[in-house]
Amino acid sequence: MLSPIVTKSTNADASARMLKSSVATLGCAFVMVMAAAVAVVLGITSDANRLEAERQRDRVEAAIESQIRLRELRFQSLAASGELQGSLAGPDPLETLQTGLAQLAGRFLEFEGAYIVSASGVVFAGIEGNSPAGQAGYEALKHFSPTLPGSPDLGDPPMRRLLDLRGDPGSASWSLTHDGIETVSVMMIDMEPRRGSLLSQLAGPIKVVGYRRVDDSILSELSHRYRISEVRIMRNMPRDPLARRAIPSADGTVKAWLSWVPDRPGDAMLRQFAWALAGVGLTFAGIFAFVVHRLRGAAHQIAIRESQIQRLAGQDELSLLPNRRTFDVRLDQELAHLDRSKSGLAVMLIDLDRFKAVNDTYGHTAGDELIRQVAQRLSKLVRGGDTVARIGGDEFGIIQAHGQFPAGCAALGERILASLTEPFTIMGVATTIGCSIGIALAPQDATDRETLLRLADTALYQSKNGGRNRFSFFETQMNRALALKRMVEEDLRRAIANDELILHYQPQVSVDGATIVGVEALVRWNHPVHGMVPPAEFIGIAEERGLIVPLSEWVLRRACEEAKRWDGIRLAVNVSPIQFRHKDFVSNVINVLAETGFDPTRLELELTEGVVVDDADAAEAAMMDLRAHGVGLALDDFGTGYSSLIYLRRFAFDKIKIDRSFLEYMETTGESAILVHSIAHLGRALGLRVCAEGVETAEQHRFLQAIGCHELQGFLFSPGVSADEIDQLLAQDKPFAKILAAA
């Protein structure tokens, strides 16, 4: 047998999505944490590098300022020495000035060249290295700085650095320029000649101009002295703004930059922390891998559990067969294939006949074991591709999708009956049960699941009513009968609720036929559409559909209310076995008597043998309770059942009623007459009143009178009539005298 395919999706996909989402979330969190850590470290190192670069840039500026200040101090020292000023006072000031400049330049200035010029740019003295220099050397120097005396443009180039020192003896200026080939540092300071000298009278204020080329030795000294790496002059602008200083040219453009390599303590820190970062990263990666592994394991376990839950959700735990849910899904699938396969299928509903007896006798454990063994036997009887399922407590279902229909269904039904009729060994005891089977075919009977199951259930009901331990195919008349029963059920329920039923009463007369000693209440239903419905058609339905209890209570209440007016007349009311076994039966009877005010000693409840067969102890207790309240009891239909003398001896009956079937074809000398005679003598011997039902002829009357019956009931005297007609009969003296005389 193939396991049914359950198409309803499970939560496995959801679990997989949840795992992926969790892994993605953890991965993002891991990346974010690592990115944050790297960003923090890089930020710290970047800040450290930037701060150190700013400090080094400040040191470069300080170094340049220091060199400027040093040259300025040397100029100031030269001016303060007074030696040059003294030479200006001689008879030949220019010659003495040249001589004094040559003597003092190496000692004070440390320039490659120096010139003493007028404010208009006229050279009074000059020196280049250790050689005198004149106007031509100064003119070559002027293209480095437009601020030197005698330059045509005295404006301020935007890229020059100008330092003004004011004080005694004068102010100084400095510039660093690049002409595209070399870089030159130029310094100029004012020098006042002595008042009254010839030079001061002729030239006015004079200036001392010195220059020095910036070469590798100067840059190396700067780098070494101020601990700045790789100080050099570059034609291309360095990208780091903190590691460069523009060197303007005379025309204001920048053609070279002073560059250096700043220390990067952040990089050193990063190298130191690299192992720590790697360790943190590996730790996080290990944690991430561990969490992912655990999540995958958890997801796998969840998938296994979901698979188990899905299997259990579609499987009956006791029998291990598919349950009702799976049965319905598989049936829907098979019905969906009918149009494509152009084949058919059969649905069988199987109900165990004596399961309740086994369960009640041996206990629920035995009942469970019986279910398991039945499931095993059924599984062996079907073909591959068919489905066996446990539908309910002791009900099973089979979907037969392969085979010849209906011949194959009949063959399978025969095999099931034969198999389940074989004894089962339950708790060491051989137990025999049977089963009833209902079969519906698709597409002949129906093509949808609900209708098909309903029709199979109707066929199962027919099998039960037909004697059990058999199978029945659904037939159209079954559906009509079922529809009639449903109609009767609905209308009867409404008729009870709306008080639409009526009661007739059949007189029970003394054996001489002269006196009415009692009446039997008979319910009648005048249906608004179908007219008078015989009790035989709706009493059985009321018992099947659970309406017999409210129906019987209505009959008892209405009969007590109407019979109160017939003083001295006993009221006989039939009791259904189902009603009698109801736990509140006795209390309901007592309540009705109390509410209606009917005399309990006038009430006589007619019971059948089925009441006392099923549960004799409970029946005896109920009967004794009723008798204690004065209610009489009659054994109805005596002679048609077990007719055991034990019932008459054990149970406190007041009267026995001979069933009408004994009188129907009775001859005064036949076997039926002998049985009736024996029953009458038995009742009289036990002190019971004996009533014969179904008396229709005078011969029957005379025979029953002769054998000693106490009461008679039948159409000879009167059928069931309304309460008003009973009033009329009771008002007459010997109401049946004419009938008996005529007979």
Side-chain angles (χ1 to χ4, degrees):
M1 180 184 68
L2 294 177
S3 299
I5 300 174
V6 180
T7 58
K8 187 175 180 181
S9 62
T10 66
N11 293 327
D13 293 338
S15 299
R17 290 193 298 270
M18 181 182 69
L19 173 62
K20 293 180 180 178
S21 175
S22 301
V23 171
T25 302
L26 286 175
C28 292
F30 172 73
V31 172
M32 291 177 63
V33 170
M34 291 302 300
V38 171
V40 169
V41 172
L42 292 179
I44 293 174
T45 57
S46 177
D47 288 344
N49 291 335
R50 180 180 56 80
L51 291 174
E52 183 60 26
E54 290 176 351
R55 284 195 293 268
Q56 287 192 342
R57 183 188 62 184
D58 294 341
R59 285 204 302 271
V60 170
E61 294 291 341
I64 295 173
E65 296 292 339
S66 176
Q67 293 295 321
I68 295 171
R69 184 62 178 167
L70 177 62
R71 301 296 185 273
E72 181 184 354
L73 290 175
R74 289 185 181 277
F75 267 117
Q76 290 175 351
S77 297
L78 177 63
S81 67
E83 296 184 23
L84 286 177
Q85 288 88 336
S87 65
L88 295 175
D92 189 358
L94 296 179
E95 183 177 351
T96 56
L97 186 61
Q98 179 70 37
T99 302
L101 178 62
Q103 293 175 352
L104 298 176
R107 183 156 49 119
F108 288 100
L109 300 180
E110 295 183 357
F111 284 114
E112 293 182 14
Y115 294 91
I116 298 175
V117 299
S118 66
S120 61
V122 178
V123 176
F124 296 131
I127 187 171
E128 289 285 345
N130 295 323
S131 303
Q135 190 69 40
Y138 179 72
E139 292 297 330
L141 180 63
K142 285 196 300 184
H143 81 276
F144 283 102
S145 176
T147 62
L148 294 178
S151 297
D153 184 8
L154 298 179
D156 291 334
M159 300 302 294
R160 80 174 182 268
R161 171 78 181 270
L162 180 61
L163 179 62
D164 291 329
L165 297 173
R166 305 195 190 289
D168 210 6
S171 60
S173 65
W174 174 86
S175 66
L176 183 68
T177 59
H178 184 82
D179 64 351
I181 298 175
E182 57 184 355
T183 302
V184 178
S185 172
V186 180
M187 178 167 278
M188 180 178 63
I189 190 169
D190 295 334
M191 186 177 68
E192 293 289 339
R194 291 181 179 178
R195 293 181 181 180
S197 65
L198 178 61
L199 188 61
S200 65
Q201 295 176 4
L202 296 175
I206 60 175
K207 297 180 183 294
V208 180
V209 178
Y211 75 91
R212 186 174 183 177
R213 291 178 178 86
V214 179
D215 54 13
D216 291 341
S217 63
I218 294 177
L219 296 176
S220 178
E221 180 186 357
L222 181 65
S223 176
H224 177 72
R225 177 178 295 181
Y226 293 98
R227 298 187 301 277
I228 303 173
S229 301
E230 301 182 24
V231 180
R232 60 189 183 275
I233 293 175
M234 301 181 62
R235 298 287 182 88
N236 298 322
M237 183 180 67
R239 281 185 281 181
D240 188 357
L242 296 178
R244 69 175 186 253
R245 188 181 191 277
I247 302 176
S249 61
D251 61 1
T253 61
V254 178
K255 297 179 180 179
W257 284 265
L258 181 66
S259 173
W260 60 92
V261 178
D263 291 340
R264 301 182 66 84
D267 293 350
M269 186 187 307
L270 183 62
R271 286 190 295 271
Q272 292 178 357
F273 282 104
W275 291 107
L277 286 174
V280 171
L282 290 175
T283 301
F284 272 99
I287 294 174
F288 177 73
F290 174 75
V291 172
V292 170
H293 176 71
R294 292 299 299 270
L295 283 176
R296 288 177 62 87
H300 180 66
Q301 292 297 324
I302 290 173
I304 292 176
R305 292 193 186 97
E306 287 180 349
S307 177
Q308 293 174 345
I309 291 172
Q310 180 184 3
R311 178 177 57 82
L312 293 176
Q315 184 183 62
D316 178 63
E317 184 177 358
L318 178 59
S319 65
L320 302 182
L321 293 176
N323 58 13
R324 178 61 180 265
R325 172 176 170 270
T326 305
F327 182 84
D328 290 346
V329 172
R330 183 60 184 274
L331 182 55
D332 286 337
Q333 293 174 348
E334 294 294 342
L335 290 173
H337 294 161
L338 285 180
D339 293 338
R340 296 194 296 269
S341 62
K342 298 185 182 302
S343 60
L345 63 86
V347 173
M348 294 186 176
L349 296 183
I350 305 168
D351 189 81
L352 304 183
D353 288 339
R354 296 189 62 253
F355 175 76
K356 185 177 184 303
V358 174
N359 212 32
D360 293 343
T361 303
Y362 301 106
H364 293 290
T365 302
D368 292 346
E369 178 61 25
L370 178 60
I371 291 294
R372 283 190 285 267
Q373 293 189 26
V374 169
Q376 293 173 1
R377 292 191 185 183
L378 290 177
S379 299
K380 296 177 181 178
L381 295 175
V382 298
R383 298 179 179 180
D386 294 343
T387 300
V388 179
R390 185 184 178 202
I391 303 300
D394 62 339
E395 187 174 358
F396 295 83
I398 294 178
I399 302 174
Q400 190 180 15
H402 303 84
Q404 299 296 324
F405 303 104
C409 298
L412 178 59
E414 293 288 355
R415 293 198 302 270
I416 292 173
L417 291 175
S419 177
L420 298 188
T421 305
E422 292 292 326
F424 292 87
T425 302
I426 307 298
M427 301 179 67
V429 179
T431 303
T432 301
I433 63 170
C435 69
S436 300
I437 305 173
I439 306 172
L441 303 177
Q444 294 93 318
D445 297 329
T447 56
D448 64 282
R449 171 170 52 87
E450 293 184 0
T451 304
L452 201 60
L453 290 175
R454 178 172 56 81
L455 299 183
D457 189 64
T458 301
L460 175 62
Y461 178 81
Q462 180 65 27
S463 294
K464 290 181 179 180
N465 282 353
R468 299 180 180 269
N469 201 36
R470 53 177 293 179
F471 64 86
S472 299
F473 285 91
F474 172 77
E475 297 176 0
T476 306
Q477 59 268 27
M478 295 181 187
N479 211 16
R480 287 197 295 267
L482 184 61
L484 177 61
K485 289 182 179 180
R486 290 199 181 112
M487 182 273 294
V488 170
E489 175 187 357
E490 295 172 1
D491 292 351
L492 181 59
R493 191 184 305 275
R494 183 171 56 253
I496 296 172
N498 297 337
D499 204 23
E500 296 175 356
L501 302 174
I502 58 176
L503 286 182
H504 283 183
Y505 300 91
Q506 187 173 29
Q508 295 176 345
V509 301
S510 60
V511 71
D512 58 2
T515 308
I516 297 177
V517 296
V519 291
E520 180 180 357
L522 304 172
V523 63
R524 296 291 184 265
W525 182 16
N526 189 9
H527 194 277
V529 176
H530 303 286
M532 192 65 69
V533 180
E537 293 186 7
F538 68 84
I539 294 296
I541 297 176
E543 290 180 339
E544 293 175 11
R545 304 299 180 177
L547 294 176
I548 192 62
V549 172
L551 175 61
S552 299
E553 290 183 1
W554 183 91
V555 171
L556 178 62
R557 184 180 301 275
R558 175 58 62 88
C560 290
E561 289 175 350
E562 293 184 343
K564 284 193 299 181
R565 59 194 184 196
W566 303 323
D567 293 336
I569 301 299
R570 289 191 304 272
L571 172 65
V573 178
N574 290 282
V575 176
S576 166
I578 297 175
Q579 179 191 11
F580 186 82
R581 286 192 293 268
H582 194 275
K583 60 184 181 63
D584 297 326
F585 170 68
V586 176
S587 60
N588 289 339
V589 172
I590 303 306
N591 290 337
V592 169
L593 291 173
E595 292 171 6
T596 59
F598 191 77
D599 183 3
T601 60
R602 292 175 51 203
L603 178 62
E604 189 174 76
L605 300 180
E606 296 188 357
L607 311 176
T608 61
E609 294 177 2
V611 170
V612 296
V613 169
D614 292 337
D615 192 346
D617 294 337
E620 183 180 18
M623 294 169 67
M624 292 182 65
D625 197 1
L626 290 170
R627 285 185 60 85
H629 286 82
V631 178
L633 301 173
L635 182 58
D636 197 10
D637 301 333
F638 187 79
T640 58
Y642 293 96
S643 302
S644 174
L645 296 179
I646 297 177
Y647 299 151
L648 298 178
R649 185 180 66 180
R650 177 178 179 181
F651 300 105
F653 288 107
D654 299 291
K655 181 171 69 175
I656 60 175
K657 298 184 71 175
I658 302 173
D659 189 72
R660 66 180 67 248
S661 61
F662 290 103
L663 301 179
E664 190 171 2
Y665 302 105
M666 185 188 71
E667 297 179 1
T668 55
T669 59
E671 294 180 355
S672 295
I674 297 173
L675 289 175
V676 172
H677 186 273
S678 299
I679 293 172
H681 279 278
L682 176 62
R684 295 176 67 89
L686 293 176
L688 305 176
R689 298 195 316 277
V690 178
C691 177
E693 293 184 293
V695 180
E696 298 181 359
T697 64
E699 290 79 4
Q700 293 172 347
H701 172 227
R702 288 191 290 269
F703 173 77
L704 294 171
Q705 187 177 23
I707 63 174
C709 283
H710 300 93
E711 300 171 4
L712 305 176
Q713 180 179 346
F715 284 0
L716 176 62
F717 304 101
S718 173
V721 296
S722 65
D724 293 338
E725 293 183 72
I726 294 295
D727 290 338
Q728 297 175 6
L729 291 175
L730 291 175
Q732 301 177 24
D733 184 25
K734 297 181 179 180
F736 308 115
K738 292 183 179 180
I739 297 174
L740 294 176

